[in-house]
Amino acid sequence: MSVLSGKKIILGVSGGIAAYKTATLVRLFIKAGAHVQVIMTPASKDFVTPLTLSTLSKNPVHSTFYNEEDENAKWNNHVELGLWADLMVIAPATANTLSKMVNGNCDNLLIATYLSAKCPVYFAPAMDLDMYKHPSTVSSFRTLLQFGNTIIPSELGELASGLSGEGRMAEPENIVAFLEADLSSKLPLKGKKILITAGPTYEAIDPVRFIGNHSSGKMGFDIANEAANLGAEVVLISGPTHFKVKNNQINLIRVVSAQQMYVACHEFYNDVDVAIAAAAVADYRPKNVAEQKIKKSEASFTIELEKTKDILASLGEIKRNQFLIGFALETENEIENAKLKIQKKNLDLIVLNSLQDEGAGFGKPTNKVTFIDKDFTIEPMDLKSKEDVAIDILNKIINHYHA
């Protein structure tokens, strides 16, 4: 999955021959999963039609502050547009537009939106060779970089004048690749490896029956997806669940039993920076598993159980520098039981769930957790979606590494 997936992008199109390439650029943004709104300068309409970009972006194209032909039309609010965007890309960025960006010459909707934007701004210069090398253009580049904007370098090639050299706007595929690489490099968990367990385990009684629990696996999958979106390389070890991963940075390992999950965790644990044990692992399993289906013959039936290996405790025993997070689902004496788990299992943080809280527990889209760290600092959280709880957990990891 592209790092652009879900991102809200404003594409500013100024009046140069390279504007014809923006049709392909919009298509690539949409293909990457981004939401796109296009703002065109009046001059850019001579090179590409608003209808083309509107059709490809699936949004109306903005060009003026209001529709002069409709006195009742809603004005195009440049402040709203600037605040809506996660990033703004100005391509092509002509010498004229660059100069206006530098000097705040706000005579069109694109520049007004640029001056209102709170998001990262990228610009892809496009002009002829002599214009590109002119001291005023070089000065514009320097000033815009000082403003915190990012330049998408022009490419060498044949120019509209017939000359060949620097000044050709980067190809749409290269613009997308540049954005993906730049955004990825700035993600807070870039370079971190995270091990996550999710879902239930099923402990076989016979070939058709098992002991299990009601865990859906959603919490672990949400953590994995959010971690990958923040740049982490994720190993997700999941018991039986219908959920699928949404990011190609996730290595999904499917298991069934507690023993299989134990083996998989220890296979990857030494190479990770963080481990999050969100799975609901069975505490017991049948001591003897029948090879054939057990027939219903007696009025009562007894199964002898034995303890499974405690995966989280085993990871705590061999922990070196890993940041180790456990989950606790309690029904009574919640805080004290969670504190004991922190000590016994050598945890850095525990995420406490209580079945006493409405909206928390297995099979629900929401969760209400309390964070307790190894110093026994207690931080109760409000009821939230599991996606938001996942973000809260990952913020704890980010704070640990960036404090």
Side-chain angles (χ1 to χ4, degrees), residues 127-134 159 161 163-167:
M127 62 200 75
D128 217 273
L129 177 61
D130 292 336
M131 298 172 67
Y132 190 83
K133 295 294 186 181
H134 195 277
L159 303 170
S161 65
L163 297 175
S164 183
E166 198 170 9

Side-chain angles (χ1 to χ4, degrees), residues 171-220:
E171 293 301 316
E173 293 82 1
N174 296 338
I175 291 176
V176 171
F178 182 95
L179 292 171
E180 289 177 331
D182 190 67
L183 292 172
S184 294
S185 70
K186 296 172 182 175
L187 292 173
L189 292 177
K190 182 70 175 178
K192 297 299 180 188
K193 294 183 178 180
I194 301 181
L195 170 67
I196 301 168
T197 65
T201 65
Y202 289 173
E203 311 303 324
I205 298 171
D206 61 22
V208 298
R209 301 181 180 92
F210 61 86
I211 296 173
N213 58 61
H214 296 296
S215 174
S216 67
K218 178 172 171 54
M219 188 75 255

Side-chain angles (χ1 to χ4, degrees), residues 74-383:
K74 180 178 179 289
W75 75 301
N76 291 316
N77 189 329
H78 58 281
V79 175
E80 283 185 4
L81 288 167
L83 295 176
W84 172 83
D86 294 315
L87 61 148
M88 184 174 188
V89 181
I90 300 175
T94 61
N96 183 43
T97 291
L98 292 172
S99 178
K100 290 178 179 181
M101 291 166 65
V102 167
N103 295 292
N105 184 4
C106 187
D107 66 349
N108 62 45
L109 182 61
L110 173 55
I111 300 300
T113 304
Y114 163 72
L115 294 173
S116 300
K118 304 298 183 185
C119 61
V121 176
Y122 297 81
F123 62 97
M127 62 200 75
D128 217 273
L129 177 61
D130 292 336
M131 298 172 67
Y132 190 83
K133 295 294 186 181
H134 195 277
S136 64
T137 305
V138 174
S139 176
S140 292
F141 292 162
R142 186 184 309 115
T143 302
L144 289 172
L145 293 175
Q146 290 172 352
F147 288 170
N149 301 303
T150 302
I151 186 170
I152 302 174
S154 294
E155 299 176 357
L156 295 169
E158 186 176 349
L159 303 170
S161 65
L163 297 175
S164 183
E166 198 170 9
R168 181 187 180 103
M169 188 182 87
E171 293 301 316
E173 293 82 1
N174 296 338
I175 291 176
V176 171
F178 182 95
L179 292 171
E180 289 177 331
D182 190 67
L183 292 172
S184 294
S185 70
K186 296 172 182 175
L187 292 173
L189 292 177
K190 182 70 175 178
K192 297 299 180 188
K193 294 183 178 180
I194 301 181
L195 170 67
I196 301 168
T197 65
T201 65
Y202 289 173
E203 311 303 324
I205 298 171
D206 61 22
V208 298
R209 301 181 180 92
F210 61 86
I211 296 173
N213 58 61
H214 296 296
S215 174
S216 67
K218 178 172 171 54
M219 188 75 255
F221 273 74
D222 286 342
I223 298 170
N225 288 322
E226 293 294 342
N229 289 342
L230 292 171
E233 180 182 338
V234 178
V235 176
L236 175 60
I237 302 172
S238 174
T241 176
H242 70 276
F243 289 107
K244 297 179 181 179
V245 297
K246 302 176 182 178
N247 194 301
N248 57 15
Q249 287 295 102
I250 301 173
N251 177 19
L252 175 60
I253 310 295
R254 298 275 188 186
V255 298
V256 176
S257 68
Q259 178 61 25
Q260 290 172 344
M261 186 171 284
Y262 177 95
V263 170
C265 285
H266 281 267
E267 179 182 349
F268 293 98
Y269 182 66
N270 285 334
D271 295 326
V272 302
D273 302 291
V274 180
I276 306 172
V281 183
D283 294 320
Y284 291 90
R285 65 184 178 194
K287 188 172 183 178
N288 299 299
V289 179
E291 293 183 2
Q292 304 295 328
K293 179 183 176 183
I294 299 171
K295 299 297 184 182
K296 184 173 66 175
S297 56
E298 304 296 330
S300 62
F301 180 63
T302 301
I303 301 175
E304 185 179 0
L305 302 177
E306 62 182 2
K307 272 190 174 183
T308 57
K309 292 179 181 177
D310 190 321
I311 297 173
L312 187 54
S314 71
L315 299 181
E317 287 177 2
I318 61 173
K319 183 175 76 170
R320 298 193 310 275
N321 298 315
Q322 292 92 341
F323 190 69
L324 186 57
I325 301 175
F327 274 66
L329 178 61
E330 302 291 344
T331 59
E332 58 184 356
N333 299 324
E334 292 96 338
I335 299 295
E336 291 308 312
N337 286 335
K339 287 180 177 179
L340 287 173
K341 284 188 176 180
I342 291 174
Q343 292 176 315
K344 288 181 178 179
K345 302 188 181 187
N346 193 21
L347 307 182
D348 295 287
L349 180 72
I350 201 161
V351 183
L352 172 63
N353 297 265
S354 172
L355 286 181
Q356 306 300 326
D357 293 321
E358 187 175 350
F362 292 145
K364 296 177 180 177
T366 56
N367 208 349
K368 187 175 187 299
V369 305
T370 297
F371 292 116
I372 308 176
D373 66 20
K374 62 182 179 182
D375 298 321
F376 295 158
T377 302
I378 301 172
E379 184 181 359
M381 308 298 287
D382 295 330
L383 182 70

